[in-house]
Amino acid sequence: MTFKPRNILVIDFGQLGDVVMSLPALRALRERYPHAQVTVMVGRPGAEIINMSGYADATIEVDRVQLRDGFKPLSVLRIFQVVKDVRRRKFDLVVDLHSFSETNLLGFFSGASKRLFSRRPGRSLDFLANFSPKPPIDKNDPKQHLIDRYLDVLLPLGIKDQPRVPRLITRPEDVRAVDTMLRKAKADAGAPLVGLFPGAGHPGRCWPLEQFAELADFLIRNDGVRPIIFVGPEERHLVQRMREIFPAPCVFLEKLSIPQLAAAQARLAVFVSNDTGPVHIAAAVGAPIVVLIDLPRPHAYVPTGVSQRLIFSESVTAIEVEEVYGATRELLGAGRTEKLFAS
């Protein structure tokens, strides 16, 4: 591969967890072209992940949902503004990791001389790409992890056999902000912190609040831990009910920025969560995770953390508290053993 781009645009439109899972591909691209300028076009929540990763020199934030579902004349105007901004930056390579028809069109109109797009039958416009050789066709195989699908897009660049686990490093200012919150809640007294995330963005993927509360009670009484309840934007209307049913020692963290969320998760002995974006962030900062998944078998979007327990079920509501407690306690015990040997 003799092509040496100097100014690369990566289009990385996906949900929060998808962006985390794109990090191995971004890291590989950064290492392959260390002297190139790398800009990532990404949705607003994902932009904070990209900025934390250090793999990009710049980001272009685009609200793809607003462009797709907003008032059509205004959406068209915004699209023209995005295209104008992209053309002004004079990219020589565009890599579209996720490939929707609209992002392929954006890549085509970017003015870049080389365009490398993920090939997704029925979703992508492959004729708008011009890079040779082409990447493998994404067959939407549930047995192929999304991380590997993203890495496959880069195969024509000679990038292969890359590390697959996403990594994020917390920032000192976010660590300080979280320390202040925990100190204010008197949660810095030395007890292990176990994070609970009852949200999922979709009610059908949520373990019942009452079972999260029962899990918190088990952990307090039997293991001497301090539960930290993370409240996402979709769950703020449930805060009052959470405060009523969760044990009194629980600490509630609300309105965290994504970097602050990552900094808080990095402090945890275990993070227990529904199958949703924040659990991917927890895994990326190294927190042991327990994930409650409303599917009976592994799929292409599960986290890839080093220390994790994945609990699958036909329905997330059928998962028993005792099973989740057992998985959490197992990770707690492993962490305590590791600290003992380290000391």
Side-chain angles (χ1 to χ4, degrees):
M1 174 58 59
T2 57
F3 177 57
K4 293 183 179 179
R6 296 183 178 181
N7 195 10
I8 303 171
L9 173 65
V10 180
I11 302 176
D12 193 4
F13 281 171
Q15 301 295 328
L16 186 62
D18 300 337
V19 174
V20 175
M21 288 186 280
S22 75
L23 293 179
L26 293 177
R27 177 177 58 217
L29 191 66
R30 173 82 281 169
E31 291 176 354
R32 179 71 175 84
Y33 301 111
H35 303 299
Q37 171 87 6
V38 176
T39 300
V40 178
M41 179 176 286
V42 63
R44 286 175 184 167
E48 294 186 278
I49 296 295
I50 300 300
N51 291 333
M52 284 180 64
S53 75
Y55 301 143
D57 300 290
T59 57
I60 301 173
E61 294 184 29
V62 177
D63 189 336
R64 179 177 170 268
V65 174
Q66 188 179 60
L67 291 181
R68 183 190 65 196
D69 301 336
F71 180 55
K72 293 304 177 186
L74 189 57
S75 293
V76 170
L77 175 61
R78 285 177 176 145
I79 289 169
F80 275 115
Q81 290 172 336
V82 171
V83 170
K84 183 179 178 181
D85 180 30
V86 167
R87 290 183 69 87
R88 177 182 60 81
R89 296 175 188 244
K90 300 187 183 302
F91 295 106
D92 53 8
L93 171 65
V94 173
V95 179
D96 191 343
L97 290 176
H98 214 68
S99 272
F100 299 99
S101 56
E102 60 266 36
T103 58
N104 287 169
L105 282 167
L106 178 60
F108 177 75
F109 287 120
S110 69
S113 60
K114 297 291 184 181
R115 301 182 297 277
L116 175 59
F117 299 162
S118 171
R119 300 169 67 195
R120 304 176 69 203
R123 301 291 296 272
S124 57
L125 303 176
D126 294 350
F127 63 92
L128 296 180
N130 67 352
F131 203 94
S132 182
K134 298 179 182 296
I137 293 174
D138 183 346
K139 298 178 181 178
N140 198 28
D141 182 355
K143 296 179 181 178
Q144 184 184 28
H145 201 280
L146 182 60
I147 289 172
D148 299 309
R149 296 184 197 178
Y150 287 146
L151 287 168
D152 274 0
V153 180
L154 306 182
L155 286 173
L157 298 172
I159 297 172
K160 58 184 179 179
D161 301 325
Q162 294 296 312
R164 302 180 60 256
V165 178
R167 289 279 181 259
L168 283 171
I169 305 228
T170 57
R171 304 183 305 197
E173 60 268 32
D174 301 310
V175 172
R176 288 193 294 269
V178 168
D179 285 345
T180 299
M181 295 176 201
L182 294 177
R183 209 163 35 244
K184 185 177 179 181
K186 296 183 172 57
D188 60 341
L193 305 179
V194 172
L196 306 180
F197 191 85
H202 190 286
R205 292 162 57 188
C206 290
W207 203 41
L209 283 178
E210 292 77 10
Q211 279 153 279
F212 268 110
E214 189 175 349
L215 174 65
D217 185 57
F218 279 11
L219 290 165
I220 293 167
R221 288 190 292 107
N222 299 332
D223 302 279
V225 308
R226 193 77 184 270
I228 308 294
I229 316 303
F230 292 86
V231 182
E234 293 88 354
E235 293 75 49
R236 284 177 190 154
H237 67 289
L238 297 172
V239 170
Q240 184 57 42
R241 171 151 178 74
M242 289 182 191
R243 291 185 181 278
E244 290 171 357
I245 66 173
F246 277 82
C250 291
V251 175
F252 288 81
L253 293 184
E254 307 174 48
K255 300 181 181 178
L256 298 177
S257 68
I258 286 174
Q260 288 172 347
L261 170 65
Q265 290 171 323
R267 295 281 302 273
L268 301 175
V270 184
F271 183 69
V272 183
S273 173
N274 297 307
D275 186 14
T276 188
V279 77
H280 290 276
I281 300 174
V285 297
I289 58 173
V290 176
V291 192
L292 315 177
I293 303 171
D294 65 334
L295 290 171
R297 61 187 63 86
H299 58 87
Y301 304 95
V302 295
T304 57
V306 174
S307 181
Q308 62 183 27
R309 299 292 181 272
L310 308 179
I311 300 177
F312 298 93
S313 176
E314 292 285 355
S315 169
V316 70
T317 57
I319 297 174
E320 298 288 344
V321 175
E322 289 77 8
E323 183 178 8
V324 181
Y325 174 63
T328 306
R329 199 173 194 191
E330 185 181 344
L331 289 178
L332 273 172
R336 285 167 172 161
T337 301
E338 184 178 320
K339 285 183 180 178
L340 179 64
F341 277 99
S343 62

